Amino acid sequence: MSFDPTTLTIIARGLQSAAEEMATNLIRSAFSAVVREARDCSTALLDAKGRVVAQAEMIPLQTAALSGAFSAAEKVLALSSIRPGQFIILNDPYHGGQHLNDIIIFSPIFHEGRLLAYAGSTAHHLDIGGGSAGVNTAARELIQEGIVIPPLLLDYERDWLGGNYERFFFANIRTPDVGRGDMDAQFAANFLGAQRMVALAERYGTRELLAAMDEVLDYSERRMRAAIGALPDGRWEGSALTDGDGVIPGGPPVEIRAAVEIAGEHITVDFTGSAPQVGSMFNSPWASSVAAAVTAVRSILADTEIPANDGCNRPLKIILPEGSILNPNPGAPVRARATASCRALDAVHDALGKAMPGRIPAQGNNATTGFFLTHAPKDGGKVRIHLDVLGGGWGAARGYDAINATDHVLSSCRLTPTESIEQIYDHVRMDAFGLCLGSGGAGMNTGGMGIFRRYRIIADDVILSLYSDRFRLSPLGREGGRDAQRSSLVVRRDGETITLDANSTFPLRKGDEVEIRVAGGGGWGDPRERDRVLVQRDLEDGIITEDEARDFYGFPVLQEEMTQ
């Protein structure tokens, strides 16, 4: 079916607007700070075949492989007879899910008795059961991380709203009120998406809408192929390292390898040679690894305005060896999967940097820092879980200094405001919060700075838990740029400083001070070629010290020249 460009554009923008409005609705309706403030959630619209046709600009790690979750559900559920009022729910990483805290809900959209599409939403839930509140850093198998939801087809009126499934599920959750509120927010977001989709069908006709969704996918594919076609043909290899396997403290780094082959309008990304799966939660399941590879490719293309949908994935072939850290065997824990996912992105960029020197940015912090302060009173009082998703510095690139204090490219979570934290959680206070000055790598263009947060614990029975990376290995500079500063975590107690690593659980006492510092991003280009006006500005702003200005940038010599 042919469309005039104006009508197609209106329908395409209508789909995109609906997906964005779903996200806004989910954020504003959520109960937890991690969704309401940090925005750890995503929304999308899928066609009746389960292909993503529009997605909100939220979390690429959650959306770039969302159709894989639908496909996995389709294989085990009788979706041919799905009816209004039903929904699909899952979180199983081995059936298209991410990690257990990311619950995915698909709601069918009907118009005049015909299945039009699906509305989909993902939200990170504060607690999902398991061996510890918030996160079980000692988990050695998936089931220790929480309750596993395989793809289920349920009825909203019968199974939710006080029904058997709802009662069963929240009997296994430590924060049922918050979890129920966030789940209801997902249903509300999906309901809104359905309303907007039906409105488009009523305005333009069902046949026209269905055809437009096909064309939207084809359009993104054409632009994706054109952007890939502008890249040089060839095959290049790259690698990246995580701090370790999360099991052996101080053990060797874990390597992720990527071979990228560009042939005309097609790209193959082969992760063969990557490390075997690890015994801790730092494995990345299939969906997360696919999303990382797709995002790695899209982020370096010259065309930055390609509409994000499943059409973008068609020119890509991604190979993930079974049993590897990027595609573990069923049952392996995956809670901290973003670490390996980020290194997959870094490895792809390392390979492409050899194909296109000067075009690829330096490494950013590129790690999810999940920082938990859980108050679980021994007298059986209400469990409160503060979760911070902390951003670091991005890597610099040719022509621009990198941004500071921002979540990595696979995520996009926001920092939770201090006021919100202290309003919700009466067991912590924020003593200090700011940029880690000088944490970005020096270069012709400088890496972004990470942040620090310093907490005061004002109650007993508080447990600190953390999963992160970049505690041992710095984000790397590129093209002569210097590496960034690393992350760190310390507890100060009675004059003693206790240093913790990137995978930690530690009991706290009232009066303890906890300081988390997040890595910066690498610099790009020779620091001595940096614009001397910018070096002077950084020095005056206190971003760099006089020693750094002299040692990295040779600034006293340049300053003397400027006065002549």
Side-chain angles (χ1 to χ4, degrees):
M1 181 177 180
S2 61
F3 285 92
D4 68 272
T6 300
T7 300
L8 178 60
T9 300
I10 291 173
I11 294 176
R13 293 306 304 165
L15 293 169
Q16 182 62 36
S17 177
E20 298 286 357
E21 192 177 0
M22 289 170 64
T24 300
N25 186 287
L26 173 51
I27 291 164
R28 291 182 175 178
S29 303
F31 279 39
S32 70
V34 71
V35 177
R36 188 180 66 250
E37 302 285 0
R39 302 191 174 191
D40 193 347
C41 60
S42 297
T43 54
L45 291 169
L46 301 82
D47 66 11
K49 298 177 182 178
R51 302 174 298 182
V52 173
V53 295
Q55 63 188 52
E57 294 185 4
M58 299 295 290
I59 310 291
L61 197 59
Q62 294 175 347
T63 55
L66 186 62
S67 57
F70 186 91
S71 177
E74 193 174 34
K75 291 177 181 178
V76 297
L77 300 175
L79 298 185
S80 61
S81 58
I82 195 169
R83 63 180 186 275
Q86 292 186 310
F87 65 93
I88 302 163
I89 187 169
L90 67 116
N91 73 351
D92 187 351
Y94 299 100
H95 281 90
Q98 298 274 335
H99 60 186
L100 297 183
N101 293 73
D102 282 353
I103 295 179
I104 301 169
I105 299 176
F106 297 111
S107 302
I109 303 171
F110 286 85
H111 178 57
E112 296 177 343
R114 180 174 182 175
L115 177 64
L116 278 182
Y118 288 87
S121 61
T122 307
H124 181 103
H125 287 257
L126 196 59
D127 186 79
I128 200 71
S132 298
V135 60
N136 181 5
T137 61
R140 297 295 179 261
E141 55 183 340
L142 181 70
I143 202 168
Q144 294 174 334
E145 296 188 311
I147 187 169
V148 181
I149 309 170
L152 299 175
L153 180 59
L154 303 175
D155 184 276
Y156 182 77
E157 296 285 345
R158 181 194 66 203
D159 299 314
W160 197 247
L161 300 181
N164 289 337
Y165 174 80
E166 183 190 31
R167 292 188 296 107
F168 166 78
F169 181 76
F170 288 111
N172 290 276
I173 305 302
R174 296 178 180 85
T175 54
D177 293 340
V178 174
R180 185 178 288 106
D182 285 355
M183 198 87 83
D184 284 340
Q186 287 186 252
F187 283 119
N190 285 10
F191 178 73
L192 178 63
Q195 285 185 312
R196 297 296 180 261
M197 182 71 81
V198 169
L200 286 172
E202 290 176 342
R203 181 174 181 180
Y204 296 100
T206 298
R207 179 170 170 269
E208 289 75 12
L209 176 59
L210 296 177
M213 287 192 281
D214 286 336
E215 177 58 26
V216 164
L217 295 171
D218 293 342
Y219 175 73
S220 289
E221 179 185 0
R222 290 195 297 272
R223 287 185 59 171
M224 190 77 174
R225 290 187 181 278
I228 293 172
L231 304 179
D233 283 358
R235 185 180 187 275
W236 300 270
E237 295 184 358
S239 66
L241 301 172
T242 71
D243 280 352
D245 64 4
V247 177
I248 304 172
V254 173
E255 184 179 33
I256 291 175
R257 301 192 60 83
V260 180
E261 183 173 356
I262 304 174
E265 298 179 344
H266 187 271
I267 290 182
T268 299
V269 181
D270 186 352
F271 290 102
T272 299
S274 296
Q277 67 188 62
V278 296
S280 70
M281 60 179 173
F282 287 89
N283 298 294
S284 174
W286 177 89
S288 298
S289 300
V290 167
V294 171
T295 305
V297 171
R298 286 206 59 195
S299 64
I300 59 89
L301 297 177
D303 187 348
T304 60
E305 302 296 329
I306 303 173
N309 57 50
D310 272 9
C312 297
N313 301 359
R314 292 172 179 172
L316 305 181
K317 179 181 180 182
I318 300 166
I319 300 172
L320 297 166
E322 294 183 3
S324 71
I325 191 172
L326 297 180
N327 188 13
N329 293 314
V334 297
R335 175 61 191 275
R337 94 289 192 198
T339 296
S341 300
C342 284
R343 293 306 153 266
L345 178 142
D346 287 340
V348 171
H349 282 181
D350 185 43
L352 291 172
K354 299 166 185 174
M356 296 170 283
R359 184 161 168 178
I360 305 301
Q363 287 185 359
N365 169 56
N366 288 1
T368 290
T369 296
F371 176 82
F372 299 79
L373 293 171
T374 301
H375 187 212
K378 293 179 181 177
D379 61 6
K382 188 174 184 180
V383 174
R384 293 179 177 273
I385 304 171
H386 165 57
L387 165 58
D388 247 342
V389 182
L390 302 174
W394 279 35
R398 181 199 296 270
Y400 68 85
D401 294 343
I403 54 178
N404 308 314
T406 304
D407 203 4
H408 56 82
V409 68
L410 293 178
S411 182
S412 302
C413 288
R414 297 189 178 189
L415 289 169
T416 303
T418 299
E419 296 82 359
S420 177
I421 294 170
E422 294 186 344
Q423 181 184 38
I424 298 172
Y425 304 108
D426 57 9
H427 59 287
V428 297
R429 287 291 180 271
M430 189 86 72
D431 280 357
F433 169 35
L435 293 170
C436 297
L437 298 180
S439 59
M444 179 192 301
N445 294 106
T446 58
M449 292 179 284
I451 64 163
F452 74 92
R453 278 186 160 172
R454 188 180 306 138
Y455 286 95
R456 179 72 57 183
I457 307 304
I458 57 176
D460 289 321
D461 303 329
V462 175
I463 300 294
L464 163 64
S465 301
L466 175 85
Y467 64 85
S468 187
D469 199 43
R470 303 299 199 188
F471 274 52
R472 297 173 59 201
L473 302 175
S474 296
L476 301 178
R478 189 176 291 277
E479 309 293 342
R482 295 182 65 90
D483 300 345
Q485 290 182 7
R486 299 187 295 259
S487 298
S488 64
L489 173 65
V490 297
V491 176
R492 300 184 180 97
R493 173 184 295 168
D494 299 331
E496 178 187 5
T497 298
I498 304 164
T499 301
L500 302 176
D501 64 22
N503 185 29
S504 296
T505 296
F506 188 79
L508 298 171
R509 302 174 188 169
K510 184 177 181 179
D512 284 351
E513 181 183 86
V514 180
E515 183 170 316
I516 175 76
R517 301 179 73 87
V518 184
W524 193 97
D526 186 346
R528 292 178 180 267
E529 296 181 16
R530 183 166 175 77
D531 188 316
R532 48 188 83 179
V533 174
L534 297 179
V535 179
Q536 178 70 49
R537 181 204 64 186
D538 293 345
L539 187 59
E540 292 174 351
D541 289 345
I543 293 173
I544 59 174
T545 65
E546 291 183 3
D547 287 345
E548 290 169 339
R550 181 187 64 250
D551 296 343
F552 298 160
Y553 299 99
F555 189 64
V557 175
L558 297 176
Q559 192 174 41
E560 182 179 335
E561 290 177 357
M562 291 174 66
T563 61
Q564 292 178 352

